[in-house]
Amino acid sequence: MVDQLSSFADEVTRVAREVGSEGMLGGQAQVRGVSGTWRDLTENVNQLASTLTTQLRAISAVSTAVAHGDLTQQIAVAARGEIADLKDTINQMIANLRETTRQNAEQGWLDSTLVRIGGLLQGQRDLGEVCRMIMNEVAPLVNAQVGAFFLAAEPVSGSRDARWVMSGGYAMNPGDPPLSFGTGEGLVGQAAATRKVVRVEDVPEGYLPIRSGVGSAAPRAVVVLPVQFEGECLGVIELGSVSPFSPLHLTFLERLVATIGVAITTIRANRRTEELLAQSQGLAMELQDQSAELQRANSELEEKAEELSEQNRNVEIKNMEIDAARRGVEEKAQQLALASQYKSEFLANMSHELRTPLNSLLLLSRLLADNPNNNLTDKQIEFASTIHSAGSDLLRLIDDILDLSKIEAGRVDVDPAPVDLVQIRSYVEQAFRPHAEEKSLELRVSIDPDLPETIISDAQRLQQILRNLLANAIKFTDSGFVELSIGVAPPGTLHGVPTLDSARTVIAFSVRDTGIGIPNAKLDMIFEAFQQADGTTSRKYGGTGLGLSISKELARMLGGRIEVTSEVEEGSVFTLLLPDELPPVTAAAARMMPRRVPDMPALERPASAGQPILRPSSGDGPVGGRPTPELAGVNVLIVDDDVRNVFALTSALELHGLTVLYADNGSDGIRLLTQHPEVDVVLMDAMMPDIDGNETTRRIRTLPQGRDLPVVFLTAKAMPGDRESSLAAGATEYVTKPVDLDALLSLMAEWVRPRSVSARAGEPSV
């Protein structure tokens, strides 16, 4: 295009020279490849030249003719007019030619400059370098003295978090950190938000000063252009100049930003492609490594497969052996479950079968020892006392065996409650001082003054442990003393029990004696069931060895432990360690077991070991055969199928002034009750033929006279759940055999007295 313009200019100059200087009209401007405006211009010039040639010829012919002066004058005037019109036309053509030439030159500059900058953008990889290069090239081209290129840090259209950061400048320093604008912030942010060019003319003083080495000045014009690609703003260019930007420069800038948008998008796409390519190459290398590793693994797996095949054959053989062993274990488990069931049934039956005759033995021996008729010798009374003492020992043995079996089965409850340590001291002195004095031993009980008044534990289980420890101490001590000291264990001591190690305070109940002592080799053995330090047939002291085993398990349930130190012939020290507060976890674990209601401990207060719980015969009170005032004339119905038990109870009750009726089954009992409405209280056995005590009680409650009648169960059934079943059937009280006669009489008096008062008042009993 530039070459064509140059050729055309040369031709125009030549034609003008021929017309103006040499007078050669009708010349043709020959420019190869020219069409359109330029061809029209050539035709106009040729047409004008032809017209001028014709007129000049006419003037020449007229002037040479012979004519008058006026005619010559008119022709000259006409010729001057035509020449003036021709001159104006030529000037207008020259002006049009000059404008067209200028426009062509500007278009040529615009196109060539865009092509050159487009070439500079090709092959670029660094966006920062591209921004700096654009500012260095573009600012001088548009006569700008200051400028900045703001590149989008987040190329996300419409994002509120997008910012435009200064990445290149002309006569400006980006700063540290670089200058940045958000969407809608300043002219840069506004141009980015609206995607429109922002122009500012007549810029005020102090705005974006243009500095040089010798001074500074404020720009007069500022233009801000968004760089877009497919509606997405990729950057913003801001330029400032001391003179207004020409339309050519503005057009150039508007066309340039489109080219820059394409270049930036291409660079980013290439960079993303390179990143993906690098990732792909990395993944390919990893895949190659993994492939090689898999090949090695496959070879190893083949070897392993052969080994596994051999192992599978061995495993199959082992599985067959394990299956056979499992069947054997299942058979053993079934046998153990059956044995456990047999054990529970045996204990229940043993409890019933032993307690029933033992009840008669204790009641009758008690009656003989009391000697109500004063017809027995002292020796016979001693025999009766011995029989009663032996029966009491047998009862304690039965209780120990049942307690141990319940502990093993997890059927022992723990009921945390405040325990008064002063009451523990009183209990020990009251229960064991008579026994200690009988053996001429000194009983010492001491309490540390720094102890808390109460601890949270199970008072009944604590008393049972102390009772076993003190009974053993008195039993195995012939001279000296037995001492119980209650104090605080040294703080910071680790006992190996989590509940003790985490307790705020550990309470130590130490039982010290001056007895025979225990060899060190047998200190652990004594806590096993049916074991003693001296287990030979020639041992001096008897016993089953159940007390310490039960105490050890009860201490564990209370969150503590029992420690023992001993020296032969010097004595022993058994120390019960308990936390000051029974942990909730321990109590909750104990409550997860089936609930068991204590077997009326108030009616079975234990006596000191070896001491008969008999009162000497005297003439005072009800012991000498005199009736008990509260029970005189009371009618009692005994429903029991055991003749021995009926005989013992009848003998005892009649001595205290009660009238006794007897039935050996539930049906006869109900019949007697309907025939004798004067019956005040019923003593009911639980286990009977035909209908048991629970069903008999239910039927009694349906009778008019039996609705409020006291029904006291006297039974040898002491397994968990028995008491609850009887109370649910309508029993008033539940007493296990053997029966303490005084406690039974007191219990009957408590129930008969309100009934008698209500009968006298004419009101129904409650």
Side-chain angles (χ1 to χ4, degrees), residues 212-293:
S212 66
V214 295
S216 63
R220 294 184 57 191
V222 174
V223 61
V224 183
L225 304 102
V227 180
Q228 305 179 61
F229 181 78
E230 294 183 353
E232 178 182 355
C233 183
L234 305 178
V236 177
I237 296 177
E238 181 178 3
L239 296 170
S241 176
V242 295
S243 60
F245 291 99
S246 66
L248 175 63
H249 291 164
L250 293 176
T251 302
F252 166 71
L253 291 175
E254 291 178 359
R255 293 179 60 182
L256 177 64
V257 292
T259 303
I260 296 174
V262 174
I264 292 176
T265 303
T266 303
I267 293 172
R268 284 181 171 172
N270 291 338
R271 186 171 62 185
R272 180 58 179 166
T273 302
E274 291 175 355
E275 293 176 356
L276 295 176
L277 179 61
Q279 293 178 3
S280 300
Q281 293 175 348
L283 292 175
M285 294 179 63
E286 292 181 2
L287 288 175
Q288 291 177 357
D289 296 339
Q290 292 178 0
S291 177
E293 184 65 26

Side-chain angles (χ1 to χ4, degrees), residues 408-553:
E408 291 177 352
R411 293 180 175 271
V412 176
D413 293 334
V414 175
D415 297 320
V419 178
D420 192 340
L421 297 178
V422 175
Q423 292 183 359
I424 293 295
R425 174 180 180 176
S426 301
Y427 163 77
V428 169
E429 290 182 343
Q430 180 182 359
F432 292 96
R433 188 169 297 281
H435 191 194
E437 292 176 352
E438 182 181 353
K439 294 191 65 173
S440 301
L441 299 176
E442 180 184 0
L443 179 65
R444 304 174 183 174
V445 182
S446 62
I447 295 182
D448 190 339
D450 296 333
L451 278 175
E453 294 182 359
T454 60
I455 62 174
I456 304 300
S457 189
D458 190 322
Q460 179 184 355
R461 304 304 175 190
L462 175 58
Q463 290 178 7
Q464 186 175 356
I465 297 173
L466 295 179
R467 185 165 63 246
N468 287 333
L469 296 180
L470 288 167
N472 279 346
I474 294 175
K475 176 180 179 181
F476 293 104
T477 302
D478 293 331
S479 62
F481 66 89
V482 173
E483 179 183 10
L484 170 64
S485 59
I486 307 175
V488 178
T493 304
L494 295 178
H495 304 282
V497 179
T499 52
L500 293 177
D501 295 339
S502 61
R504 293 173 301 180
T505 306
V506 177
I507 309 300
F509 300 84
S510 299
V511 177
R512 183 186 305 273
D513 63 65
T514 56
I516 61 175
I518 306 170
N520 291 331
K522 297 185 177 182
L523 288 178
D524 295 332
M525 181 186 68
I526 61 174
F527 287 99
E528 299 178 5
F530 303 104
Q531 295 289 339
Q532 287 187 336
D534 183 8
T536 64
T537 57
S538 60
R539 61 184 182 179
K540 178 180 179 182
Y541 302 95
T544 61
L546 293 177
L548 289 179
S549 179
I550 294 173
S551 299
K552 176 183 176 181
E553 294 300 324

Side-chain angles (χ1 to χ4, degrees), residues 570-593:
E570 295 292 334
S572 306
V573 179
F574 287 81
T575 303
L576 169 64
L577 300 173
L578 293 180
D580 60 339
E581 183 173 354
L582 183 62
V585 175
T586 304
R591 287 191 176 91
M592 290 176 64
M593 301 301 177

Side-chain angles (χ1 to χ4, degrees), residues 130-172:
V130 168
C131 294
R132 289 187 289 272
M133 184 268 294
I134 290 174
M135 297 311 301
N136 292 335
E137 292 290 334
V138 172
L141 290 175
V142 296
N143 295 328
Q145 288 75 40
V146 65
F149 196 117
F150 296 89
L151 190 64
E154 293 289 339
V156 180
S157 178
S159 174
R160 294 184 178 180
D161 296 333
R163 295 192 68 82
W164 284 264
V165 182
M166 183 175 176
S167 302
Y170 185 82
M172 283 189 66

Side-chain angles (χ1 to χ4, degrees), residues 322-360:
I322 291 173
D323 187 61
R326 180 182 57 79
R327 290 194 297 270
V329 170
E330 290 178 353
E331 294 176 359
K332 293 292 184 182
Q334 293 176 357
Q335 294 175 2
L336 288 175
L338 188 60
S340 177
Q341 180 182 356
Y342 289 160
K343 178 181 177 181
S344 299
E345 294 176 356
F346 167 75
L347 290 174
N349 294 331
M350 183 193 71
S351 172
H352 181 268
E353 297 301 329
L354 290 179
R355 287 173 181 266
T356 298
L358 189 59
N359 183 60
S360 302

